[in-house]
Amino acid sequence: MKEYVVKGMTCAACVRAVEKAASKAEGVSGPVVSLATEKLTFELSGGFDEEKLFNLVKKAGYELEEVRKERIVTLEIDGMTCAACVSAVEKAIAKLDGVSEVSLKLAAEMATVGYDPDRLRISSIKEAIEKAGYRASAFTNADSEQSRLKKEAAIRSYKQKFLVSIVFALPLLIIAMGHMIGLKLPSFIDPHMNPLNFALAQLFLTIPIIIAGKDFYLKGIPNLFRGHPNMDTLVGLGTGAAFIYGVFATVQIASGNHNYAGDLYFESAGVIIALISLGKYFENLSKGKTSEAIRKLMNLAPKKALVKREERFVEIPLEEVEAGDVLLVKAGMSIPVDGIVIDGTTSVDQSMLTGESIPVDITEGSKVTGGTMNINGAIEIKASRVGSDTVLSKIIKMVEEAQASKAPIARLADTVSGYFVPFVLVVALVAFVTWIALGYGFVFSMSMTIAVLVIACPCALGLATPTAIMVATGRGAGMGILFKNGEALETTHKVDAVIFDKTGTITRGKPELVDFKVLNGFAEEESIRLVASIASRSSHPLDRAILDSYDGDLLQVSDFQAVAGGGISATVNGGKVKLGNPGFIGTTGSEVDEFVRSLSELGKTPVVASYDGKVMAVLGIADVIKDSSARAIERLKRSGVETYMMTGDNERTARAIAAQVGVDNVIAEVMPQHKAGKVGQLKERGFTVAMVGDGINDSPALAAADVGIAIGSGTDIAIEAADVVLMKDDLNDVVNSINLSKATIRNIKQNLFWAFFYNTIGIPVAAGLFYVAFGLRLNPMIAGAAMAFSSVSVVTNALRLKKIKI
C-alpha cells in the first residue's frame, strides 16, 4: 500500500480528478483519494513509476507529496535573549543527523523540531541545545498550551478591566445619581452650587473607564468603516456618544449654561463599560469550563516514564519514549504509552478513556493504552505507539476537532449575525431621527439611541451553538462517546433507523461453547476431557472455543488428522476420537438429529463427538450475544427507532440471533461489498440511517450511512470511516449518543430562542416603541446590564449539558 499527500484539493470534483489521473500511472491499482485527509492511497501492481504518477497528477492541477514519517515535537528553550541566541540554537539542532526542520520563536521561547525517530532521540536534541549554552525543558503541546494561555489571558484581561471600571464607576454613579435618592453631595461638587465641578468630577472618573474599555473604540468603531460592524462597534458607538455628549455638556456648563448639568450621561458610558466587562469576564470564565474534558484527557498521561536502559530502568520525560522501548509500569502508575505487555499480570482501570468502571485483567501479550491506570501489579510493556500516535492523543485530537467544527445549525446563527449589527445601527438611527422629529429633544433622543446600541447582543447568537457543541463533545468524551465533528453531533439526533452488524457488534465476535449434551452413557467429565484434548491440536476457531472452555488436564493425543470441511480425529487413551460436523462423524440417530436440529434453529453451530464409532456428545458453539445488546435495542425501539441486523449468515441463523435480542428487521446473506448498498436502499426509503459496526468489511457501510458508528474495539479502518466512535463494547452507548445529540440540539434551540427573543423584545423597548402609549423606556445602564448577561446566560445554559441525564 502506497500513500501520498495531495495538495490543492477543495471539493469532490478534485477527488475524482486526482483518482482519474493516478489510475493512468503504471503500477497503480485502485487509487482512492480522501478529501478529508487529503491523501491518495493505492495498491502496487507490477512496475511502479513514481515520477510518472507525480507528473500525471501535476498535469491535472494538483501536487503530490510523500507522507512524512518523522515526528514533530515542541520544546521550551530557556536562556534565549536575542536573535543571535535563536541562530545558535537553530545551528545546534540543525546539524544533528535525522533533523529535517527547525523553527524557533524568540517571543514564545519555543523550538519546533521535525526529526526521524529511527535516527535520533529527543534526549540527543536536548543535549545539543544544552551544549550550545541553553536549556530545553519539558515538552509542550504548542497548540493546546497557547490556546490555554490565550484563554487565561482573556479572563485576566476582562477581570482587570472590570476592576478598574468598577473602582471608578461606583463613585461616578454616586455623584451622578446620588442626589436623586436623597444622598447629599459635598458642596464643592453639588450640581446646584458648583455645576462645573459636578461635571468635571464625572469627566475625570469616566476617562480611566474609557481607557479600560479602549478596545470598544480602537477595534469596534474601525470595523464599521471596514464594512464588518460587530458587538464592539455597538458598545463603542453607544458609550462613545454618551461620553462625547458629556464632554459637550461640560463645555456648555463652563460657558455658563448650567441647564446641561441635569443630563451629562457620563455615568451611562462608565457603568455600561463596567457591566459589559463584568459580563465578558463571566462569559470567558464559563467558556473556560467547556474545555475541561480536553484538559482532563491531557492530564491522564504521566509526565515521565521508566524506560529500560542497559538492564536497568531509568526515569525519562514521556516525550523521549520511542516505539520499541521497554517500560516498567508499577502498581498505581498511569500507563505512559500504548504498548503490549511482555512480562507481568495486573488489572487496569480504563474508566478514564472508556467510562467503563470495571477493571480489565491484563496478562502477557495483552494490549494496553496510554492514560489508563495500572491498579495492582508491576508490568513491563513494549511501546508500540508514542506521541501523537497513541489512542489518547488521537482522542484528544478528535475532541479538539469536533469542538472547533461547525454544525449546520450554526449557519443560521452566522447568517443572522451577519445582518444583525447593521440592522441595529439602522434601528438606532431611525429611533434618533424619529424622537427628534417628534419634538422630544436631543438628550431624550440620544438616550433612546444609546439604549438601542448597547442592548443588542450578537454575542448571544454567536455563542449559542459553539458552546453547546464544545460542552456536548466533552461530555461525550467523558462517557466514551467520541463525535468527530459538529455535523455528526447534530445529524445523530435525527436517526430513525439503526443497522447493526452482527459479528463483533451485537455478538462478541468470538465463538464460545454454550451447550454440551452427553449421550450413550458416557460420563460428562471424561467426555469433555477427551474432546478438549483432541481440540488442543487444532487451530480451527470452533476447536479453540472448545479448548477455551476447559481448564483441566489434557490427555496424550496421537495420530492426529484434520479433514477440511469435516472435522478432526486422533487416538486418545487408546480409543479413536472424532470431532466435527454430523456428516463427518457418520453415526447418527433420532436423539442426535433432534438435538442438532434444535441447536441450528437457535443459531448455534452443532458439533458431534464420537469415541470408537459411538456418538459421545453433541456440542453447541455460538458467537455469544453481548450482555448490552438486548437492552440497547429495547431502548431504541421504545424511542421509535427502527432496528435492523445485517449479516452474511444464512437467513435461519440470522433470524434466530435477531429474535434473541429483539431486532425486528433482518438483512441476511449480505456479502461485505454489498453492505453499503443495503444502507443506501434504506436511505432511499426516507430514513436517517445510523450504521453500527466494527470490522474492515463494515467501513463502506459506515461511510455510506448518515451517521457511521464504530465500536472502539474495532479496526482502525472502521473507526476512520465512522462519524461517531464508541470506546466501550456497549451498545447502550448507541442510544446514549442519540440521546446526547437530542439534548444538545434541544439546548442549542433554547439558546437561539432566548437570543432571538431577547433581542426581539429588548430592541423595540429600547427604541421607545412603548413609550408614548405606556411610558415605558429603558435606561441605557439597564440595557447594558441586560446585554452583558445575555451572553452569560447562553453559556450557562450550555454548561447544563455537563450534568444533564442522558
Side-chain angles (χ1 to χ4, degrees), residues 642-719:
E642 290 279 332
T643 55
Y644 293 77
M645 187 181 80
M646 185 157 57
T647 177
D649 284 349
N650 63 68
E651 188 83 19
R652 185 174 66 177
T653 302
R655 291 202 175 277
I657 298 289
Q660 291 180 55
V661 294
V663 172
D664 293 328
N665 307 284
V666 176
I667 308 171
E669 300 176 19
V670 183
M671 298 298 287
Q673 62 267 33
H674 299 145
K675 285 187 174 183
K678 296 294 182 182
V679 172
Q681 289 173 15
L682 212 54
K683 289 170 69 176
E684 286 172 7
R685 288 167 52 191
F687 286 104
T688 300
V689 181
M691 172 70 197
V692 186
D694 73 323
I696 292 174
N697 60 355
D698 296 323
S699 54
L702 290 169
D706 295 296
V707 180
I709 302 177
I711 304 293
S713 60
T715 64
D716 288 343
I717 295 174
I719 292 170

Side-chain angles (χ1 to χ4, degrees), residues 17 30 42 62 71 134 164 216 239 305 328 360 492 502 517 555 564 572 588 644 703 740 762:
F42 57 86
Y62 308 91
R71 285 177 64 186
Y134 306 90
V164 169
F216 293 122
T239 56
L328 174 65
V360 177
T492 303
K502 180 182 78 72
K517 185 176 179 65
L555 298 167
V572 185
T588 59
Y644 293 77
L740 179 58

Side-chain angles (χ1 to χ4, degrees), residues 179-385:
H179 63 281
M180 296 182 182
I181 57 172
L183 289 177
K184 188 170 177 64
L185 295 175
S187 58
F188 71 94
I189 55 170
D190 187 289
H192 302 293
M193 300 173 64
N194 287 293
L196 182 59
N197 287 350
F198 175 71
L200 289 173
Q202 292 182 55
L203 173 62
F204 293 138
L205 287 169
T206 306
I207 288 173
I209 302 174
I210 295 292
I211 294 171
K214 64 182 182 300
D215 286 348
F216 293 122
Y217 313 104
L218 299 180
K219 295 179 181 178
I221 293 176
N223 279 341
L224 177 65
F225 300 104
R226 296 188 188 108
H228 305 291
N230 57 14
M231 186 214 76
D232 287 353
T233 306
L234 300 180
V235 176
L237 288 174
T239 56
F243 180 74
I244 290 170
Y245 176 77
V247 172
F248 168 76
T250 302
V251 172
Q252 291 295 318
I253 293 169
S255 302
N257 195 347
H258 295 172
N259 291 332
Y260 279 90
D263 289 298
L264 288 169
Y265 276 107
F266 283 126
E267 78 284 356
S268 290
V271 173
I272 286 169
I273 290 173
L275 287 170
I276 290 173
S277 297
L278 177 62
K280 282 284 187 182
Y281 169 64
F282 282 142
E283 178 189 315
N284 280 272
L285 206 59
S286 300
K287 281 161 67 179
K289 294 179 181 177
T290 62
S291 298
E292 279 181 9
I294 288 180
R295 284 199 296 273
K296 285 179 180 177
L297 286 170
M298 292 179 71
N299 290 332
L300 290 182
K303 304 300 180 190
K304 295 182 181 292
L306 293 170
V307 178
K308 199 169 191 176
R309 294 280 188 268
E310 298 177 354
E311 301 307 313
R312 68 189 186 94
F313 289 96
V314 296
E315 189 175 68
I316 65 171
L318 180 63
E319 69 271 13
E320 293 186 21
V321 176
E322 303 286 359
D325 283 347
V326 175
L327 289 76
L328 174 65
V329 186
K330 298 177 181 178
M333 291 173 59
S334 290
I335 295 172
V337 296
D338 297 357
I340 298 171
V341 177
I342 58 175
D343 187 40
T345 60
T346 187
S347 294
V348 172
D349 180 359
Q350 299 182 340
S351 60
M352 294 292 193
L353 289 178
T354 66
E356 179 58 63
S357 59
I358 300 173
V360 177
D361 292 333
I362 296 296
T363 57
E364 191 175 322
S366 299
K367 291 181 179 180
V368 289
T369 304
T372 55
M373 178 65 71
N374 180 19
I375 298 176
N376 54 16
I379 54 173
E380 289 183 22
I381 67 170
K382 187 173 183 179
S384 57
R385 293 177 178 176

